[in-house]
Structures are given as C-alpha cells and as structure tokens.
Amino acid sequence: MEISPAIKYVGVDDLDIDLFESQYIVPDGMAYNSYIIFDEKVVIMDTADARKGAEWWSNVERALDGRTPDYLVVQHAEPDHASLIAEVMEKYPSIKVVATAAAIKMLPQFFGGIDFVERGIAVKEGDTLSLGSHTLQFFVAPMVHWPEVMVSYEQSEKVLFSADAFGKFGALCNGGGWECEARRYYFNICGKYGMQVQNLLKKAATLDIKTICPLHGPVLTENLGHYIGLYDTWSKYEPETEGVFVAYASIHGGTAVAANRLADILRAQGAPKVVVSDLSRCDMAEAVEDAFRYSHMVVCAASYDADVFPPMHDFLHHLKIKNFQKRRVAIMENGSWAPTAGRVMRVMLESMKEIEIVEPMVTIRSRMKDSDVAAMERLAASLLQ
Ligand code: FEO
C-alpha cells in the first residue's frame, strides 16, 4: 500500500491473535501499522509485534528494495509496535533510533545489551529531522498511551503519524467502519488519559493535517474533522450519544428480568435510546465503551457474599481505572435475604469523579413484583429529568 509515492505502508495484519494485550477480543484481528519514508534519507516508522515478524520483514525488504534505512523512528515502545527494534538494529548497524529521551531510557528494559544512548537520537518537543525534501517534526504525547510516546508530523506532505491515537481494533484486510472499533479501542486503551489526549489535540490543531497514519487501523485521508471531533468528545468525557446504558449482573435471572423491565420503562418515558448489557456474558470492553458513550447509566446487580455479584464489581472496577466521570447513574439492587449490592455499587461509583447518583435506589427481593414497578418508574423519571 502506498500513502504517497514517497511513503509506503509496511505494516501487517494479525488474524491469529486471540486477545489483544491479552485482554481484548478482536474478532476482526489486529493491524500493526508501520511505514517507510523514502527521500535522501530513508526512515522506518515503528516496527510491529514479533508475532508477525516474518511478514513485517518481508514487507520492509520488498519496500526497501536494497536501500539501507538511515533512521528508525520509535514513537511508542509498547511491544505491539516495538518488538522488532533489536532485529532492525542488528541488521542495519548504522541505523539510528529516533525517539523521546523517555523511550531511549525505557527501551533497554525490553532489549538488554544494546546501547540506545550511543545508537539513538533523543528528540524533544518540536525538534525536526530533515530527510531531504521531507522533514519530520516531533511532538511529545505522554500517556497517549505510555509516557514515552511521541507523534511525528511530516511537513511537506502534511502527514501526521499519530502513534496509538486514532487507532482501532481490526485487521486492515477486514475493513469495517471506524467508529465502533475505534471507540472500543479508545476507551479501553486510552480512556484514562483524556487530559493528555486533549493536550495532543491542541497541538494537532496547530498543524495542517491532510493524512493521519495511526499505528492501528486504517490510514485516514478524508473527513478528518469527524475523527478529531469524536476524539475531542471522548477525551473530554462528554457523552457521544443521548441515551441510557443499562448494565446488569444477574445470577439466576431475576435481576435480568428487572433490568429489562426498567429498560422498557425508560423507553416508555422517552429515553431516546436504551441499550442493555448482561455483564456476565457480554464483552467487558464493549460494556466499558457503552458506559462512556451514553449520557446516562443504570447499574443493576444481585447481592453476593455480602458484596456485589462479581461481574458488576469487575465492570465498576474497569470504569474506575479508566477514569469514568461526568455521568448521572441510577442503581437497582437485588437481594434474597440481606441486600448489599446497592451499598457496594454506591461506594464504588462515589469514588469516581463527578458521578451523580440518582435517587431513590430500587431494591428487588429475589424476583421483581408488580409492586416494584412504581419505584422503578420513579427511578427512571428521576434519571431522565
Ligand atoms: Fe498499540 Fe499502546 O500500543
């Protein structure tokens, strides 16, 4: 694939991977993007995961066609992009690694026995690297998604190499739209670091960008304002869609019935969209994504061991570490003898920023009764007001 006559795609698709980062299902596979810029100097932009090392090397050698690369730009030291750095340095003894000082400090942790200070060029905010008619300019992007991250802007063709930003799950050969898997990727990979993403967007706003080349997912060439706008919404923790996400954790089905009834009540009361997820069976990353996506949330869970049923605990733990915030949340608990789920969910939610818990919480005893409906209607009305 060609980004332009001077910029070639040498990344690889991974269709064999079961879990990205050993935690995220990727039914459409994963892409590890990598690029080469050809000019008087030749630059490889990041490598790939060693899982696909042979394929990456095949792409690189075909593109290089005998030329020796001068630089390896390392925007991010995470192994899905950086696993092949030592092989590149061994094959090309004269190559220089261009990275932030933080990356040059971190890389020996992954690759012992290589002197990255001797063989590296540490770049700072705004530094440039002339390749001939092309010039790379570097901007640090700490915590998007690791502390050593930087992005690179090629000035002559106005290409932003954006590291993990604007990436998505899914192999390129499987195509698919951007929003769904980019959103799931964003909130689960970068969601904690909204402020840092905002800082990067402010820098990007000063650049004239024609093409975005991320480290995952498709190269973006059109309608860039749409993608940048979504990143702005997501990184401000603002809801993208008006609606209610109803997440439930049910042991024997009683809480599930109540959660679905509450969803029907919300629809009847005019909620523009209501989405229901069974936390015991859904993809947790998708549930996290939906919590951030929608403007309102309801959590419904059974009590368990004087605590909350573990799938809900796991969900709320994920939201806490991903910096979930700025939402109104309603709680419905279930308990057959001593209900405890509501108290635990409340404490977990109150530990998050700017979460307003909507009252009054509803308590179901084993199975929802007709007599519970009035309280559920009050809770729904209170949530939607
Ligand atoms: Fe795609 Fe943070 O690595």
Side-chain angles (χ1 to χ4, degrees):
M1 191 202 331
E2 229 180 59
I3 312 305
S4 73
I7 305 177
K8 306 273 193 283
Y9 180 84
V10 292
V12 286
D13 277 348
D14 187 350
L15 300 175
D16 313 322
I17 189 168
D18 58 345
L19 295 171
F20 181 68
E21 285 190 2
S22 296
Q23 59 176 324
Y24 302 115
I25 60 165
V26 280
D28 295 325
M30 198 66 198
Y32 314 122
N33 295 344
S34 172
Y35 309 87
I36 301 182
I37 306 174
F38 292 90
D39 202 318
E40 291 165 25
K41 303 287 186 185
V42 175
V43 185
I44 302 175
M45 303 294 296
D46 295 290
T47 65
D49 196 302
R51 294 170 45 80
K52 293 291 161 189
E55 293 90 331
W56 183 80
W57 270 115
S58 168
N59 291 347
V60 167
E61 287 177 351
R62 190 181 318 117
L64 286 172
D65 195 22
R67 287 192 69 175
T68 299
D70 300 278
Y71 302 107
L72 170 61
V73 169
V74 174
Q75 302 185 109
H76 186 13
E78 193 166 10
D80 52 329
H81 312 290
S83 290
L84 304 168
I85 290 174
E87 292 181 20
V88 172
M89 295 176 80
E90 187 178 355
K91 186 173 173 72
Y92 302 111
S94 61
I95 203 166
K96 289 283 191 185
V97 168
V98 180
T100 61
I104 286 174
K105 188 173 170 202
M106 182 184 286
L107 286 169
Q109 296 171 191
F110 290 99
F111 306 103
I114 298 178
D115 187 344
F116 282 94
V117 173
E118 170 70 23
R119 297 192 58 187
I121 299 172
V123 289
K124 301 184 299 298
E125 178 76 4
D127 281 358
T128 58
L129 180 68
S130 174
L131 311 177
S133 65
H134 291 75
T135 301
L136 283 172
Q137 186 170 22
F138 305 104
F139 298 92
V140 299
M143 302 320 296
V144 186
H145 131 242
W146 278 17
E148 85 300 353
V149 171
M150 67 176 186
V151 300
S152 311
Y153 177 66
E154 199 294 300
Q155 295 174 339
S156 69
E157 299 199 44
K158 307 185 190 311
V159 177
L160 179 68
F161 295 90
S162 62
D164 273 343
F166 302 101
K168 73 185 267 290
F169 295 123
L172 299 194
C173 69
N174 283 327
W178 185 84
E179 285 79 359
C180 185
E181 285 294 68
R183 188 190 300 107
R184 188 169 72 100
Y185 177 91
Y186 174 81
F187 283 116
N188 286 280
I189 306 277
C190 302
K192 181 178 179 65
Y193 304 111
M195 190 201 302
Q196 291 84 351
V197 173
Q198 279 285 305
N199 290 338
L200 177 58
L201 292 178
K202 287 190 185 99
K203 294 178 190 182
T206 68
L207 303 171
D208 180 12
I209 300 168
K210 295 273 192 294
T211 305
I212 296 176
C213 289
L215 286 178
H216 303 288
V219 171
L220 304 173
T221 55
E222 289 174 357
N223 207 11
L224 299 186
H226 170 69
Y227 306 111
I228 292 169
L230 281 175
Y231 254 60
D232 188 43
T233 299
W234 297 343
S235 56
K236 285 176 177 161
Y237 300 98
E238 288 173 356
E240 178 188 337
T241 305
E242 279 299 313
V244 185
F245 178 50
V246 179
Y248 72 81
S250 181
I251 305 169
H252 297 294
T255 306
V257 169
N260 279 294
R261 180 65 179 270
L262 185 54
D264 288 339
I265 292 169
L266 286 160
R267 290 185 191 103
Q269 291 190 4
K273 185 161 185 189
V274 181
V275 173
V276 182
S277 279
D278 173 0
L279 296 174
S280 297
R281 293 172 178 81
C282 71
D283 167 28
M284 184 58 74
E286 184 107 25
V288 169
E289 172 197 343
D290 282 342
F292 281 97
R293 176 180 184 171
Y294 292 102
S295 54
H296 298 71
M297 184 167 74
V298 181
V299 288
C300 314
S303 302
Y304 188 90
D305 284 347
D307 204 292
V308 67
F309 188 40
M312 177 59 77
H313 192 280
D314 191 24
F315 173 62
L316 293 176
H317 172 70
H318 274 82
L319 293 189
K320 168 75 177 173
I321 61 173
K322 297 303 176 190
N323 220 354
F324 183 71
Q325 56 187 273
K326 295 188 183 171
R327 293 292 186 281
R328 304 184 76 228
V329 182
I331 299 174
M332 184 163 65
E333 66 173 351
N334 194 353
S336 291
W337 58 97
T340 51
R343 174 179 52 77
V344 175
M345 289 190 283
R346 181 184 295 274
V347 168
M348 293 183 80
L349 286 162
E350 284 176 347
S351 74
M352 303 174 202
K353 276 185 245 168
E354 294 184 59
I355 296 296
E356 181 190 344
I357 295 177
V358 173
E359 307 293 353
M361 179 178 86
V362 170
T363 299
I364 301 291
R365 304 303 296 244
S366 304
R367 292 288 183 267
M368 189 193 79
K369 318 290 188 306
D370 287 345
S371 56
D372 292 319
V373 171
M376 292 163 69
E377 287 175 342
R378 276 197 299 278
L379 184 65
S382 177
L383 181 68
L384 296 178
Q385 73 181 209

